[in-house]
Amino acid sequence: MNDGVNGVALAVFIIFFLAVTVIGFMASRWRRAENENSLDEWGLGGRSFGTWVTWFLLGGDLYTAYTFVAVPAAIYAAGAAGFFAVPYTILVYPLIFTFLPRLWSVSHKHGYVTTSDFVRGRFGSKGLSLAVAVTGILATMPYIALQLVGIQAVLDVMGVGGGENTNWFVKDLPLLIAFGVLAAYTYSSGLRAPALIAFVKDTLIYIVIAVAIIYIPIKLGGFDEVFGAASEKYTAAKAGALIPAEAGQWTYATLALGSALALFMYPHSITATLSSRSREVIRRNTTILPLYSLMLGLLALLGFMAIAAGVKVTNPQLAIPQLFEDMFPSWFAGVAFAAIGIGALVPAAIMSIAAANLFTRNIYKDFLKPDATPAQETKVSKLVSLLVKVGALIFVLTMDKTVAINFQLLGGIWILQTFPALVGGLFTRWFHRWALLAGWAVGMLYGTLAAYGVASPTQKHFGGSSKEIPGIGEIGYIGLTAFVLNVVVTVVLTFALKALKAPDGVDQTKPSDYTADAGDPGVAVELPPATAGSAH
């Protein structure tokens, strides 16, 4: 790693950071509505975004700075097993094509802002809605923290903040400044800020990857040299491989499938989806978003290039920033660092908004202040979005970064347990609300305990997300095993509860709601209070 500050790269980074800061604050005037005091406006951008804005917003939301850093870092450290992210992003788009338009339609029809709003309206259960909301918030917090870890990795490689012995305030000051700016324009502009900044972020990332995939192999002597060097390293270290080993195929397949099922359960994915202006916008996006999967496959190859370039880092998360520092001219290294840094700001903003919306609509309004006005909801959501970011910042500054990574893996296991209630509810009312809640609890409990028991060379607990599958004996993704248990419990208890004629709750939706479009008769309405009999 180079000593001192890379002044040219830092200057370019600062220029781009200042540019997106201006864009973030100006976004408050973009498509400004007459009444800004509603979650529809602040938290969903007025539900007004078209195909391209939604495409950039979803891309900026799903392909984060941590993706940019972690996917090739996994390849750098463990070989082809890290490519699991590519097949899972291919699997996810046919899946979401089947249910996202239905979720958009029913949410548009009833004014739902969050997935918990839908679950409560569909099953008449505040308890199940609360479970989905709390899971979403818990799973999102470490995800936001990892975006700050991505920014910190870039700052470390540029030499900003001094060495390990530097005063903590001086060392973390650049991150504190970035956080403060992010918090300010998110508070001011809501979802419109990351929607506009996403154009800059995704354009930069595409440029950097296009240049890297051509320029770096040329400097290294071609792809033959790149793959040859990687193969030699894995052979010598007896760790990793150019293709997944047979023993790891169950892990690879279950991790890819489980991740595909979980991706659009995250609150930020749904927030970006519900900001679209029509059902057709969602359908179009599910057909063009796979372009990001192509980008991701090329991005993953940077892990092999880091090996061939002789990058030596103790933390694999620094491998790609260091590769850019070593291989690119300083000015273009600054562009690459800006792509990663801005790639952290966009999803961090959307995630904090999504978590705040869940708290406001499904905890504050449902349990603390049922008569909250739209203006009060918006004020609370803005404040909570700040608190969420502060929590993520404290997490990053006070804890080992590997802890943040492990908790993000745990978040993926947790969020998958909301799939039966959300996706199942979009297609059938057969599941009983109490059975769904019990299935969620079993999945959460098993997933958490199983992950707690996984050790790694650096962690005694929560050291990974794979463990032996009960009854099969193969190593597989804990989240998918927990999901299967969740579904089994839900189905069995639904049969039992229906046989016992347990109260089924009130469904506030009707079949035509799931295919409604923006121009159809009817307007979005506030979610009515749940009756006393449905508060389970």
Side-chain angles (χ1 to χ4, degrees), residues 123-193:
F123 295 101
S125 173
K126 290 172 71 175
L128 183 58
S129 169
L130 177 64
V132 172
V134 170
T135 305
I137 294 169
L138 287 176
T140 300
M141 287 291 291
Y143 219 153
I144 299 173
L146 285 184
Q147 306 315 308
L148 301 182
V149 169
I151 296 177
Q152 201 168 48
V154 168
L155 295 174
D156 285 348
V157 171
M158 285 193 295
V160 177
E164 291 298 325
N165 297 323
T166 306
N167 176 275
W168 73 268
F169 181 77
V170 173
K171 180 177 176 58
D172 295 323
L173 182 60
L175 186 62
L176 292 170
I177 293 172
F179 160 81
V181 171
L182 167 66
Y185 67 61
T186 303
Y187 186 93
S188 169
S189 303
L191 194 66
R192 288 176 171 84

Side-chain angles (χ1 to χ4, degrees), residues 438-454:
W440 166 85
V442 168
M444 291 286 286
L445 182 62
Y446 171 82
T448 304
L449 292 177
Y452 178 82
V454 177

Side-chain angles (χ1 to χ4, degrees), residues 245-490:
E246 183 176 349
Q249 289 177 3
W250 271 84
T251 305
Y252 188 92
T254 55
L255 186 55
L257 178 58
S259 299
L261 294 174
L263 184 60
F264 272 81
M265 298 301 100
Y266 278 103
H268 54 279
S269 304
I270 301 302
T271 295
T273 298
L274 297 185
S275 69
S276 305
R277 68 183 175 208
S278 74
R279 175 185 175 94
E280 192 59 30
V281 167
I282 302 303
R283 291 166 63 88
R284 288 194 205 105
N285 265 275
T286 59
T287 62
I288 59 178
L289 275 169
L291 286 172
Y292 282 100
S293 297
L294 174 62
M295 177 194 74
L296 188 61
L298 298 175
L299 173 63
L301 291 175
L302 295 178
F304 291 144
M305 295 180 198
I307 294 173
V311 170
K312 303 293 183 185
V313 289
T314 54
N315 178 3
Q317 309 302 322
L318 298 176
I320 301 313
Q322 191 60 50
L323 174 69
F324 293 158
E325 170 91 348
D326 294 345
M327 302 301 294
F328 286 145
S330 293
W331 69 271
F332 195 77
V335 174
F337 295 151
I340 299 175
I342 297 169
L345 297 178
V346 171
I350 304 170
M351 289 170 189
S352 65
I353 290 170
N357 288 347
L358 279 170
F359 176 85
T360 301
R361 287 298 289 261
N362 308 115
I363 297 177
Y364 173 74
K365 185 169 185 178
D366 276 355
F367 294 95
L368 302 178
K369 190 173 177 59
D371 60 346
T373 65
Q376 288 173 324
E377 285 184 5
T378 305
K379 182 178 180 180
V380 169
S381 203
K382 286 182 174 182
L383 292 173
V384 172
S385 75
L386 293 179
L387 292 176
V388 167
K389 285 191 278 285
V390 169
L393 183 66
I394 293 172
F395 196 92
V396 170
L397 296 182
T398 60
M399 300 185 75
D400 188 334
K401 306 304 180 292
T402 58
V403 175
I405 295 168
N406 292 337
F407 273 105
Q408 196 277 327
L409 294 174
L410 187 60
I413 295 170
W414 286 341
I415 202 66
L416 183 52
Q417 308 317 309
T418 64
F419 190 99
L422 176 58
V423 179
L426 287 169
F427 292 94
T428 179
R429 187 58 171 73
W430 181 78
F431 297 116
H432 195 282
R433 54 185 175 157
W434 296 348
L436 284 165
L437 189 56
W440 166 85
V442 168
M444 291 286 286
L445 182 62
Y446 171 82
T448 304
L449 292 177
Y452 178 82
V454 177
S456 73
T458 57
Q459 298 288 140
K460 186 177 180 181
H461 302 291
F462 299 115
S465 57
S466 297
K467 196 172 185 177
E468 183 175 307
I469 304 171
I472 295 178
E474 299 285 350
I475 303 298
Y477 178 46
I478 293 170
L480 193 60
T481 306
F483 169 73
V484 172
L485 289 175
N486 181 343
V487 172
V488 169
V489 170
T490 299

